[in-house]
Amino acid sequence: MKKIFYIVFVAFVAWGLQGCEKEGFVRDGGGVKLEFSADTVAFDTVFTTVGTATKRLTVYNRSDDNLLLSSVTLEGGRASRFRLNVDGDTSLTAREVEIEAGDSIFIFIQANINPNDNQQPFLVEDAISFSNGQRIPLTAWGRNAIYHITPKDSVWLRIGNETWTDNLPHIVIGNILVSEDCMLRLLPGTEVYFGDNAMLIVDSAARLVAQGTAEKPILFTSLRHDGWYSFLPGQWQTIWFYNYSTGNVIDHALIENGTGGLRGYPGSQLAVNNSVIRNMSDCGIIGQGATITGRNLLVYDCLASFTALIGGNYDFRRCTFANYWNYSGRKLETLVLSNNMYVNGNVVGGNLEKADFTDCIVWGTYYNGEVLLSEAEGFSFNYRFLHSIVKGGEWSEDPLFADPQEDDYTLQDDSPAIGIGYNFE
């Protein structure tokens, strides 16, 4: 009797398992091949311990059959540095995944890489495995980094005398403050990546000396660089020189993807040379009663290139301020010279002792010209454009950039700006 019961029970279980097969679906494809939106999912640089943005893979069932995949998983299992979300299922292995005829599903992928001893980028690999035998490779280039993170109970991370090198990139999460009477020195090739809303503040009587070379420029940029984030403005804040921070130098640097590139407060001094500032959602350089000199600069695709507020002392030579901003409507010229500003509804002024632009180009797409002058009575207002092409100015002639839409601001052979500058050091 027990034997008969056992046979009946086994038969019942077998029938039940067979009945679990989804009616009208072909399990694991039955020879039908899936199609994918990409044959490989590749991540660019992934800093260790910092997760990536999410990438999406679309899986298509182009056949006339409804398909049922027994599993979609990572070949690396729990040790994998990638994570999947398969049509809403975040399990290590998604099971019984349905794709109806002519339909598709989404797989979302992230990478998170552990630190190791490598100073150079290293390749991390895995693959998405489908139970019908197909696979999609996953790759990511990992980089170790030095992290500067603001403590949770503070508004900034205070540092003293430090020298940063190009051995590993530096990641700034939150705000860094260079303390009074201290200097932060950046050697050639140093890379600094800022997280969301992060900034570098140089306190009163502190200094920033960032001296790169043509072969090894210094980089100040956003932490995220995947897809359109590689050129998206507004991803971090600014490099802020506080009141009476003097002796600051930036040479051979690329500063990009922030809100305001460089900001000098009253009494601060900055020399910035041989550098590029681009993709700022506010202004490339802002001086509020500061002293700033610039030599051989290219400032482009910022909401405004240079703004002087409540006066100051400024001297730019052989600089190009180009504005082809297209992220939003632009209601302001790219060069703003002012000896005043509004603070809490009141006008605050300061002497514009000097604002000289020599052998410069100030050009862009603003219909009304590219210079705004705002003078308040009671304060000096001194500015000069010498041998400079200025849209809307006395010499308003297209400088004929090679291809500004492709960020090429070299001059065409017949540019009116060639061969007319002063000869000076």
Side-chain angles (χ1 to χ4, degrees):
M1 184 67 177
K2 291 181 179 179
K3 185 175 182 180
I4 295 173
F5 173 78
Y6 175 76
I7 293 172
V8 171
F9 176 76
V10 171
F12 176 78
V13 171
W15 174 84
L17 290 175
Q18 185 178 7
C20 288
E21 189 76 80
K22 185 80 172 180
E23 185 177 353
F25 280 76
V26 179
R27 180 172 289 275
D28 295 331
V32 174
K33 293 297 183 182
L34 299 167
E35 296 182 21
F36 305 97
S37 56
D39 56 11
T40 300
V41 177
F43 293 86
D44 294 328
T45 301
V46 181
F47 291 108
T48 55
T49 76
V50 176
T52 64
T54 301
K55 293 207 170 188
R56 184 178 72 183
L57 176 72
T58 307
V59 183
Y60 299 98
N61 175 12
R62 308 274 194 202
S63 75
D64 295 327
D65 295 319
N66 298 325
L67 303 183
L68 182 67
L69 296 173
S70 299
S71 65
V72 178
T73 190
L74 289 163
E75 290 182 358
R78 294 189 180 278
S80 176
R81 303 318 309 163
F82 299 90
R83 288 296 176 263
L84 303 181
N85 179 326
V86 181
D87 213 30
D89 189 339
T90 58
S91 305
L92 184 63
T93 298
R95 300 191 183 280
E96 304 297 290
V97 179
E98 302 174 5
I99 314 178
E100 294 184 353
D103 203 353
S104 61
I105 62 168
F106 294 133
I107 299 178
F108 298 96
I109 308 106
Q110 289 182 320
N112 196 314
I113 299 175
N114 288 335
N116 56 30
D117 295 329
N118 290 320
Q119 289 195 348
Q120 298 300 318
F122 53 94
L123 183 63
V124 177
E125 297 179 287
D126 202 346
I128 305 174
S129 177
F130 299 85
S131 55
N132 69 336
Q134 292 180 265
R135 65 193 299 272
I136 292 292
L138 306 176
T139 63
W141 284 97
R143 290 191 75 182
N144 290 297
I146 299 170
Y147 289 87
H148 309 272
I149 301 175
T150 299
K152 291 183 179 180
D153 57 350
S154 179
V155 295
W156 52 51
L157 172 67
R158 186 183 291 273
I159 64 173
N161 289 309
E162 291 193 11
T163 298
W164 294 2
T165 72
D166 65 345
N167 289 339
L168 290 173
H170 293 259
I171 310 297
V172 177
I173 306 296
N175 303 318
I176 283 188
L177 175 71
V178 184
S179 301
E180 264 188 66
D181 300 319
C182 294
M183 179 175 67
L184 174 61
R185 180 183 295 277
L186 275 61
L187 299 186
T190 300
E191 299 177 15
V192 184
Y193 295 82
F194 292 89
D196 186 35
N197 286 323
M199 73 173 81
L200 172 60
I201 306 166
V202 184
D203 205 354
S204 301
R207 296 175 63 193
L208 171 67
V209 178
Q211 291 182 304
T213 65
E215 295 75 23
K216 298 182 69 175
I218 289 170
L219 175 65
F220 299 96
T221 189
S222 52
L223 181 57
R224 292 188 64 175
H225 269 260
D226 46 293
W228 70 322
Y229 287 98
S230 63
F231 51 83
L232 182 67
Q235 296 185 65
W236 56 283
Q237 285 293 320
T238 187
I239 302 172
W240 182 4
F241 301 92
Y242 207 63
N243 302 51
Y244 305 105
S245 164
T246 60
N248 298 291
V249 177
I250 296 177
D251 192 12
H252 285 97
L254 171 60
I255 306 169
E256 64 178 9
N257 301 353
T259 298
L262 304 172
R263 180 185 293 269
Y265 263 32
S268 65
Q269 297 177 356
L270 167 66
V272 53
N273 307 316
N274 308 306
S275 296
V276 176
I277 302 173
R278 65 186 182 189
N279 302 335
M280 296 291 161
S281 61
D282 187 358
C283 192
I285 304 174
I286 304 173
Q288 293 181 224
T291 296
I292 299 175
T293 62
R295 302 289 184 268
N296 192 31
L297 303 181
L298 172 58
V299 184
Y300 73 92
D301 280 0
C302 305
L303 191 62
S305 295
F306 172 73
T307 298
L309 299 172
I310 55 174
N313 192 311
Y314 311 100
D315 185 5
F316 294 96
R317 301 181 184 181
R318 300 185 298 275
C319 297
T320 295
F321 302 93
N323 202 329
Y324 293 80
W325 175 268
N326 59 6
Y327 293 96
S328 62
R330 188 156 66 98
K331 299 181 180 179
L332 191 67
E333 293 82 351
T334 199
L335 212 64
V336 178
L337 304 180
S338 175
N339 61 0
N340 63 91
M341 66 180 293
Y342 280 92
V343 178
N344 297 325
N346 300 313
V347 177
V348 176
N351 293 320
L352 184 61
E353 298 172 4
K354 180 174 76 171
D356 285 358
F357 299 85
T358 306
D359 292 349
C360 292
I361 297 174
V362 182
W363 203 260
T365 57
Y366 200 58
Y367 69 97
N368 206 31
E370 289 291 0
V371 178
L372 174 64
L373 304 175
S374 175
E375 180 179 2
E377 294 182 0
F379 303 96
S380 62
F381 190 69
N382 302 306
Y383 67 92
R384 296 186 302 173
F385 293 97
L386 305 171
H387 280 202
S388 294
I389 293 178
V390 180
K391 186 173 184 178
E394 292 185 7
W395 183 14
S396 182
E397 187 176 358
D398 191 331
L400 300 179
F401 296 125
D403 191 353
Q405 302 306 320
E406 295 296 328
D407 297 343
D408 185 353
Y409 291 94
T410 57
L411 300 176
Q412 299 179 28
D413 292 341
D414 54 346
S415 168
I418 293 177
I420 52 80
Y422 286 113
N423 292 315
F424 53 29
E425 295 298 324

